[in-house]
Amino acid sequence: MKQKNKVITIDGIDKKILRALTTDARTPILEIARNVGISGAAIHQRLRKLEKSKLISGSKFIINPEVLGFTTLAFVGIYLDKAANTDDVVRALKRIPEVLECHYTTGNYSLFIKLLSKDNAHLMRLLHEKIQTITGVQRTESLISLDQQINRQVHI
């Protein structure tokens, strides 16, 4: 089971630092320091404190899947057999590279996944040949995203 993180309070300076870096993670620390009005060393200290608190972790580049030919984004609700071992199903889903996210949910589905495919035919192959053949998967329901309208992080 996932361990809960301790809730922390951040001040106005931390918020300014986080806003700058979530807008552009490549913003130079000294530029942020000038804009915030503290030293570069103080920015580094605050970032270390925020990492230690687990509020932030690393930085990453965002890959545009469409440039690689992945044009179909789908959300799939997975119904499991009553006797299914959910951990085994999740392990099997982790072996499918097109599966980007997997969530335990309330409601009708046992699991809810987000996956990328090259097109509808690829999505159908993934569903029929990889996902629905996993032991314990009873059936699936798919929703294809036509266009993503909002993509953001939590507001700081």
Side-chain angles (χ1 to χ4, degrees), residues 17 21 25-36 38-45 47:
I17 295 167
L21 290 172
R26 292 191 267 189
T27 305
I29 295 299
L30 290 177
E31 181 181 322
I32 296 170
R34 275 191 304 277
N35 293 337
V36 174
I38 62 175
S39 71
I43 299 280
H44 281 289
Q45 277 182 321
L47 288 173

Side-chain angles (χ1 to χ4, degrees), residues 96-110:
I96 302 170
E98 293 89 349
V99 174
L100 304 178
E101 297 178 15
C102 178
H103 302 266
Y104 291 110
T105 62
T106 60
N108 294 327
Y109 309 123
S110 302

Side-chain angles (χ1 to χ4, degrees), residues 35-83:
N35 293 337
V36 174
I38 62 175
S39 71
I43 299 280
H44 281 289
Q45 277 182 321
R46 284 173 174 269
L47 288 173
R48 276 195 298 279
K49 176 191 77 167
L50 295 171
E51 284 177 2
K52 190 174 180 185
S53 74
K54 296 190 174 25
L55 177 65
I56 60 173
S57 60
S59 60
K60 62 183 177 181
F61 288 100
I62 310 290
I63 295 171
N64 181 345
E66 289 183 9
V67 174
L68 295 173
F70 291 92
T71 59
T72 301
L73 174 68
F75 297 93
V76 180
I78 300 176
Y79 292 87
L80 298 180
D81 295 328
K82 288 197 186 301

